[in-house]
Amino acid sequence: MSVVKVSEAATALPRAWSSRVLGRVGTAEVKVLRMDELPVEEERHAEPEALLVLDGRLELDVDGEAVAVGPGEMYVVAAGTAHAVRPGSSGTLVIVEAEAEAEAEAEAEADRPTDRPSPGMLAR
């Protein structure tokens, strides 16, 4: 893989809050997106996610508490935790998000070739 220019990838996105996958690490995706001052509805994930602010500021509501994340800072949202983006968030955000275990297993199963003989068939 080559060097990724994260800021350029964020600038090239068609609109704010649309993300682009920059790469994968194990079952985790590393994504970039631009924030645009508008709020984002509450969500929960089966796995934890890391939110790294490259520039600007991320304003969160995490289980009813206000959390501000500044440039160069990271916040890890625990699995199953309700969180929403509050108005006023802007800048570039990198998200490291692990796939839920069941999703990762289903994807791995789908990627396996189905026409290969089983090891027992090769021994005959």
Side-chain angles (χ1 to χ4, degrees):
M1 180 166 187
S2 60
V3 172
V4 176
K5 295 184 179 182
V6 178
S7 295
E8 287 180 17
T11 302
L13 291 168
R15 63 188 181 287
W17 299 111
S18 67
S19 64
R20 174 179 168 208
V21 176
L22 300 175
R24 295 183 67 83
V25 179
T27 62
E29 290 182 332
V30 179
K31 303 175 183 178
V32 66
L33 61 79
R34 283 191 334 268
M35 301 177 283
D36 71 347
E37 303 282 338
L38 297 177
V40 176
E41 292 181 15
E42 181 178 280
E43 59 185 9
R44 293 174 192 262
H45 305 285
E47 301 290 331
E49 70 177 346
L51 307 171
L52 171 63
V53 176
L54 294 186
D55 58 74
R57 189 166 193 80
L58 173 62
E59 300 289 341
L60 292 171
D61 183 350
V62 180
D63 269 345
E65 292 189 33
V67 175
V69 187
E73 295 179 334
M74 180 178 76
Y75 184 81
V76 177
V77 180
T81 303
H83 58 288
V85 177
R86 297 181 312 173
S89 298
S90 65
T92 307
L93 179 66
V94 171
I95 300 173
V96 179
E97 182 176 58
E99 291 182 27
E101 195 171 310
E103 289 174 21
E105 286 176 12
E107 227 176 76
E109 183 65 33
D111 289 342
R112 287 190 189 109
T114 56
D115 56 18
R116 286 195 326 198
S118 68
M121 291 177 71
L122 294 175
R124 293 185 189 158

